Amino acid sequence: MPKIVFVQPDGRRQIVDAPVGQSLMEAATQNLVPGIVGECGGSCSCATCHVYIDEPWFSQLTPADEMEAGMLEGAVAPGPHSRLGCQVPVTDALDGLVAHVPPGQ
Amino acid sequence: MSDAASTYVIVGAGQAGGELAAELRKLGYAGRIVLLGEEPHIPYRRPPLSKAYLAGEIAETGLYVIQEAQLAKIGVEFVGNARVAAIDRAAKTVRLADGRAFAYDKLALTTGGRARMLTLPGAERPNVLALRTIADVQKLKPYCQPGKRIVIIGGGFIGLETAAVARKLGLQVTVLEGLPRVLARVTVPEVSAFFERVHREAGVDLRTGVQIEGFEGEPEVTQVVLAGGEKIPADVVVVGIGLTPNTELAEAAGLAVDNGIVVDEHAQTSDPDIVAAGDCTNHPSEFLGRRVRLESVQNAMEQARSAARTMAGKPDPYRAVPWFWSDQYDLKLQMVGLSSGFDRFVVRGDLGGRAFAAFYLKDGRLIAADAVSRPQDFMFAKKLVAMAASVDPAQLADESVPLKNLVPA
């Protein structure tokens, strides 16, 4: 099963098992990763699952659609590697992906 | 008693109950957590019931807030089919209808609400359904075949979302609303008119200002009878006319109840060992400057986290700005704030198209916004509403000025 690494703003790391098909948001909330809320349950409505994704994984992802890009623009501290966790499904190729939790949601 | 030897009982395994249990563990609470649910299911998300789950796009497990194995792993004892009969505050015990009892050191009430039903004769027949639970949708799904006729009573969010999915599944859809317009409780006539048009364009027979006299057909309803005598054929009827908060248990236990279980900003009830969160509470809102009872996921989850912090002895008040969303067809509606009391209404974009943002001002300050398929506008409006920003209505209406530019640094 792919492993995903969540890194808190203070550097604390949490490695979770994420079944293929689950979203990064679900991988985080199922494992009580702090700072990832997923209030809308993954419908791209709230931007409370915002993360920054490291390379090389970021460039491998299907780019954000218009709705996600719009939500990200208004997220807390958006950056060039910002994604909404709910819009990123886990695949085998993403094993080891490192996602940084932002300072706020 | 040490923390690890204590028992926290949560009555109600909806989204608030599930969030509260998870938050207790995130806060490091090491004692026993018992989560009592009246339904057989572990905590699940209700919003997809009238969207992706009804549409058959996600499975039941996709609704679960935390999967069963994970729930066990974090040490949450879920008890399903558990109907709580009484709370004995003196003995600090919760008693179930089947005789089981759970002693608690602290108690959380996340009892939510139940769908209001019609009291008309025939409303009890098996094809007259609510849409609040997994069981409701499981009963509805067999009727969701192309060409079947669904009559939806109530033009609120549940009714309209159900209508959108039913059209997508090829049903003939009629929506009956008693008031002169849909979404009358939550938005202005202009936005109601927008959604009425969208549904009619999608082929929904949408009627407003209609009263229902009764139902015909046995054992299943086959026709809905309107005042005036018109009969609308139906294979299934869905009733979406609002929610009744589940406060009876709290009231019987002698807790203060007034349109919801009365709590303070820390989700504390009138009993220091009992908190409450979600649709069932009446809480003070700093943002609104008054008490309010809200029916939303945002409220359920954020208030539940505040309640967990109170239970864990790390209080952090609930001070959120209400927000809400609804998906219908290809449209995403996102709302922030509450528009009641506004004195100025401004639209950015075209109400005759499929994307716009509507802004509500009071004394020059932005108090609420409704955005349809305009995610940036929603996100920046959320910031502006949270800070009760003074904004120039002309700039709000001007598409050439990004809303981002109006947010004070």
Side-chain angles (χ1 to χ4, degrees), chain A residues 43-66:
Chain A
S43 68
C44 197
S45 299
C46 71
T48 63
C49 62
H50 172 210
V51 287
Y52 311 109
I53 296 173
D54 277 355
E55 294 294 3
W57 301 282
F58 181 82
S59 301
Q60 295 173 22
L61 305 176
T62 309
D65 65 13
E66 210 180 319

Side-chain angles (χ1 to χ4, degrees), chain A residues 22 25-26 29-48 66-77, chain B residues 15 19 22 25-26 45 47 62 64-67 70 73-74 297-298 301-302 305 323 325 327 332 334 373-376 378-380 382-383 404:
Chain A
Q22 197 173 58
M25 179 276 285
E26 288 168 312
T29 56
Q30 295 285 332
N31 291 285
L32 307 187
V33 173
I36 296 183
V37 183
E39 203 150 275
C40 74
S43 68
C44 197
S45 299
C46 71
T48 63
E66 210 180 319
M67 180 61 64
E68 184 189 348
M71 295 297 291
L72 281 170
E73 207 185 308
V76 177
Chain B
Q15 285 197 253
E19 183 73 6
R25 289 298 184 229
K26 283 189 198 174
R45 302 183 179 103
Y64 296 153
V65 173
I66 294 185
Q67 298 300 324
Q70 286 297 102
K73 199 172 144 192
I74 65 169
V297 167
Q298 168 267 322
M301 291 182 64
E302 294 194 46
R305 293 198 290 273
W323 76 270
W325 85 96
D327 297 326
K332 181 177 289 296
Q334 294 165 297
S373 301
R374 306 264 299 222
Q376 291 100 327
F378 169 70
M379 291 300 285
F380 291 110
K382 210 173 166 193
K383 294 177 205 271
K404 191 179 181 173

Side-chain angles (χ1 to χ4, degrees), chain B residues 31-44:
Chain B
R32 184 179 177 211
I33 300 176
V34 179
L35 178 59
L36 304 173
E38 191 169 4
E39 293 178 61
H41 314 282
I42 57 174
Y44 63 91

Side-chain angles (χ1 to χ4, degrees), chain A residues 7-21:
Chain A
V7 185
Q8 294 295 320
D10 66 5
R12 210 152 32 96
R13 294 162 80 87
Q14 199 170 336
I15 300 171
V16 309
D17 291 321
V20 168

Side-chain angles (χ1 to χ4, degrees), chain B residues 318-339:
Chain B
Y318 172 50
R319 284 205 182 115
V321 177
W323 76 270
F324 189 82
W325 85 96
S326 174
D327 297 326
Q328 297 169 37
Y329 308 104
D330 57 328
L331 306 178
K332 181 177 289 296
L333 168 66
Q334 294 165 297
M335 311 172 93
V336 59
L338 294 184
S339 60

